[in-house]
Amino acid sequence: MTRLQHPPKGSRLGPTREPFVAYIRVSTYYEEKISPDIQRAAINAWADRNNARIVEWVEDLDVSGRKMKRKIADALKMVEDRTGRGIAVWRYSRFGRSRHGNAVNLARLEALGGRLASATEAADTRTAFGKLQMGMAFKFAEYESDRIGEQWAETREHRRVAGLPATGGQRWGYIWHRRHLDEDEGTIHREWYEPDDTGRVVTTLHERVAEGESMGSVTQWLGRNGHMGTKGKPWLQSGLTRYMDSGFAAGWIRYHPDDCDCPPKDPDSTASRGEKCPNRLWVPGAHDPIVPEDVWSAYKEKREQARNTPSGNRRPAYRLSGNMRCGRCGGTASAAGGATYGAGKQLIVKPGYQFRCSRMKDNRTCDGVYILRSVAEAAVRERLAEWDAMIEAEAATIPQQRAEPTATPRQRIADTRARLRANLADLQQQLDRQTDLLTRGVIPEDSYARERDRLTADQAKATAALAEADARTDEEEAQPADYQPIIRSLLDRWDTTPVETCRAMLREVLRGVWAYPKETAPDGTVTPAYAVPVAVWEAEPTLLGPRADT
């Protein structure tokens, strides 16, 4: 049994060091941003002082402690897998600031037999007094979080009174001048927004929508003319709609009343509390408008009409809606209409006649693809028949078939994980039993060492197997035979199954349907646009690239 040759001064290193998982969190609040390097150094120093070693580092950068969806779940998973015996943090507040979230995570940690250790707060959480200290630290952390939240609310209210948006930053059509101190003059210059040359484009967009043009059409116009957003990226229809509906360009600031009785904000959502509430108000801003008030009024009227008009896309009308992908960029392909002239030059409108690349439609950043819906659906039915024949051929080569139904991929993964966890628990019990026998003098030390090494090696293998099982997804575990009942049902009742049901069944089988544009070979041979359906057990196809033609 070997010891470290040169243990740090003041350490109490023994033959082995207890493994811990280190969790580092940097808050979204600027006054709480403690450098990850500082936290890492303090945790390493704590490990040296307390005969511990850090086996894994888990970092949450720029994440609020009130959120439940954090990487702390990964640290807890490592404790569950016996990778570490506990979690070490810089301070207890890094573990979290939500009363309910802390209670849930701490209860799970203690149920796993682990403990929480703070590198800068001396509290032994294995004792009653240490648990009391930890609980008080959590209460102070929650208090600090509430205090900071109140300060931010006061800051937002101050900005509203000053005619500024609740959060600073660039706004399209304006130059943002930050609030700053001029040391030469000894004065503080206020924050303000100055209209720039892009304002003419913003005005034009509002005018076109006010005259009846759709948001999709003006988004395409921006992409064709090379107009970018504040981050230098092409506009998407969703982002452009949010900006224009905010009324900032018309000189207004939209805010949500603090005394509104709408539900509180979801801490795990990026959407603000007022974003989904209809009780939002417009107040005059301190900036100069670039959209005239009459244009803004007409724009709001048109947008209200659009919101009150039922959308045909709310319920998918086609079997492959949501499954189509562009073979150039890999993005979504949405249904589009077509039209032709019949006898007597009668215009015939064909809704959902084809699928087209959404990036090509919205911002022209992809050369895109057009493919007839009938061609794509025919390709899917052909592939379903091929998969069914393949499954039958493979089944014929198996000497004996099981009578009971095959478990689903998700159930097989769950069974594997449960078996491996039970194996790990049994190995740990055996190791504890051997340690107890050694301490009581029942077995000699050399026998204990051999058995300990064997059990430790088995634990390492089981832990690696469990990590591999946890990393696997349902799609990776999927086997073609799992989906034969769905494939058979689709083939037998394709025309009679309701569209919504058929679409849901296809989403179970398909990873996606990639559409590729027509191609012209060097000898002049033209290959029409074609579709490649891909099953969940198959790999995604190769993309041509968004600018393949150039």
Side-chain angles (χ1 to χ4, degrees):
M1 188 177 298
T2 60
R3 295 176 181 267
L4 294 179
Q5 296 299 320
H6 300 287
K9 184 178 180 180
S11 67
R12 301 189 299 274
L13 295 177
T16 59
R17 306 180 75 179
E18 197 174 16
F20 269 78
V21 178
Y23 176 68
I24 293 176
R25 182 178 65 82
V26 179
S27 177
T28 53
Y29 298 121
Y30 287 101
E31 64 183 79
E32 279 198 342
K33 284 185 178 292
I34 307 300
S35 167
D37 294 334
I38 295 177
Q39 297 185 40
R40 187 184 295 268
I43 293 174
N44 278 326
W46 168 87
D48 288 338
R49 294 193 308 268
N50 292 272
N51 193 27
R53 60 187 175 92
I54 305 302
V55 295
E56 195 70 42
W57 295 87
V58 179
E59 294 187 359
D60 260 330
L61 303 183
D62 206 28
V63 176
S64 171
R66 285 185 172 272
K67 289 190 174 183
M68 286 290 291
K69 295 180 180 179
R70 294 181 285 124
K71 293 182 181 179
I72 189 65
D74 297 339
L76 291 169
K77 185 66 173 59
M78 294 176 188
V79 176
E80 182 181 4
D81 297 341
R82 302 293 182 179
T83 302
R85 297 297 299 272
I87 298 176
V89 293
W90 176 67
R91 297 186 65 179
Y92 289 123
S93 61
R94 300 301 91 193
F95 190 71
R97 290 188 178 275
S98 169
R99 179 174 67 255
H100 303 293
N102 284 341
V104 171
N105 290 332
L106 191 58
R108 181 184 174 190
L109 178 62
E110 292 176 347
L112 296 172
R115 65 187 180 93
L116 180 64
S118 171
T120 58
E121 295 161 313
D124 187 354
T125 56
R126 291 169 292 190
T127 65
F129 186 71
K131 292 180 180 179
L132 174 63
Q133 288 179 295
M134 181 174 61
M136 293 175 63
F138 279 141
K139 284 295 183 182
F140 276 110
E142 183 184 354
Y143 158 74
E144 283 293 319
S145 180
D146 292 339
R147 181 186 61 82
I148 293 172
E150 291 175 357
Q151 288 180 345
W152 277 107
E154 293 173 359
T155 300
R156 288 192 294 267
E157 182 61 28
H158 171 75
R159 293 180 62 86
R160 291 169 189 157
V161 173
L164 297 171
T167 58
Q170 299 289 344
R171 296 294 190 277
W172 200 44
Y174 290 86
I175 301 173
W176 179 39
H177 297 274
R178 297 172 179 265
R179 182 174 179 266
H180 68 281
L181 171 65
D182 190 329
E183 296 181 355
D184 295 334
E185 298 180 2
T187 58
I188 298 178
H189 294 276
R190 64 180 179 86
E191 176 184 349
W192 64 294
Y193 288 85
E194 176 187 6
D196 63 6
D197 295 338
T198 313
R200 294 193 298 270
V201 178
V202 179
T203 304
T204 301
L205 292 179
H206 282 79
E207 291 174 344
R208 294 173 66 163
V209 175
E211 292 171 359
E213 193 168 349
S214 67
M215 293 300 300
S217 176
V218 296
T219 307
Q220 293 178 16
W221 179 83
L222 287 175
R224 289 194 300 268
N225 290 274
H227 294 291
M228 303 292 178
T230 56
K231 296 183 179 180
K233 297 181 180 180
W235 279 101
L236 293 176
Q237 182 176 333
S238 56
L240 182 65
T241 301
R242 283 195 300 270
Y243 170 70
M244 295 179 65
D245 285 352
S246 69
F248 187 84
W252 298 94
I253 293 176
R254 187 172 54 180
Y255 80 98
H256 181 248
D258 292 332
D259 57 353
C260 182
D261 57 357
C262 65
K265 178 186 182 300
D266 180 3
D268 293 322
S269 173
T270 57
S272 64
R273 178 190 175 196
E275 194 167 339
K276 298 180 179 180
C277 178
N279 302 326
R280 288 180 290 179
L281 306 175
W282 275 277
V283 297
H287 59 286
D288 295 329
I290 54 180
V291 175
E293 185 60 28
D294 58 335
V295 176
W296 169 242
S297 299
Y299 170 85
K300 286 200 300 181
E301 182 178 351
K302 289 294 183 181
R303 291 291 297 142
E304 189 64 26
Q305 292 177 2
R307 277 189 286 269
N308 293 332
T309 301
S311 173
N313 294 329
R314 297 188 186 279
R315 297 180 62 185
Y318 311 108
R319 294 178 176 88
L320 298 183
S321 296
N323 277 316
M324 294 299 300
R325 302 288 184 270
C326 173
R328 291 188 185 276
C329 64
T332 59
S334 55
T340 185
Y341 286 97
K345 295 184 178 181
Q346 181 68 32
L347 181 65
I348 302 175
V349 179
K350 300 179 179 179
Y353 177 68
Q354 59 191 347
F355 285 98
R356 62 179 176 182
C357 173
S358 297
R359 285 178 59 179
M360 177 186 67
K361 175 180 74 71
D362 282 351
N363 50 47
R364 303 292 178 180
T365 56
C366 176
D367 287 349
V369 60
Y370 287 94
I371 187 170
L372 297 181
R373 179 164 57 89
S374 58
V375 172
E377 291 186 356
V380 170
R381 297 185 67 175
E382 181 179 350
R383 286 291 285 161
L384 289 173
E386 292 177 3
W387 292 330
D388 183 57
M390 177 196 68
I391 295 170
E392 282 296 319
E394 291 181 353
T397 62
I398 302 176
Q400 296 180 352
Q401 296 291 321
R402 291 183 300 176
E404 67 273 9
T406 305
T408 62
R410 180 172 299 178
Q411 184 61 46
R412 286 200 298 271
I413 294 177
D415 292 343
T416 301
R417 291 171 179 167
R419 175 176 56 79
L420 290 171
R421 290 194 183 102
N423 186 24
L424 279 172
D426 181 63
L427 290 172
Q428 186 61 42
Q429 288 180 358
Q430 294 183 43
L431 187 59
D432 294 342
R433 190 179 307 114
Q434 294 296 319
T435 304
D436 179 63
L437 293 175
L438 175 66
T439 56
R440 288 191 293 145
V442 178
I443 60 174
E445 186 173 353
D446 57 343
S447 298
Y448 165 76
R450 287 194 302 271
E451 192 66 12
R452 179 202 60 196
D453 293 342
R454 182 186 68 81
L455 293 173
T456 304
D458 291 344
Q459 278 184 328
K461 293 179 182 178
T463 301
L466 181 59
E468 183 180 352
D470 287 337
R472 293 189 65 81
T473 63
D474 295 353
E475 293 181 356
E476 292 174 337
E477 185 69 18
Q479 298 177 6
D482 299 329
Y483 300 94
Q484 189 174 33
I486 300 178
I487 294 174
R488 288 268 177 91
S489 179
L490 286 168
L491 288 173
D492 295 341
R493 293 181 287 274
W494 179 273
D495 295 323
T496 58
T497 303
V499 171
E500 290 185 10
T501 304
C502 184
R503 175 175 175 269
M505 295 171 70
L506 286 172
R507 290 175 72 89
E508 289 287 328
V509 180
L510 295 176
R511 186 184 294 269
V513 181
W514 276 258
Y516 290 86
K518 68 177 182 179
E519 299 175 348
T520 303
D523 59 358
T525 304
V526 177
T527 302
Y530 61 97
V532 179
V534 179
V536 294
W537 62 83
E538 298 176 335
E540 295 185 2
T542 304
L543 301 177
L544 299 179
R547 296 292 181 183
D549 287 344
T550 58

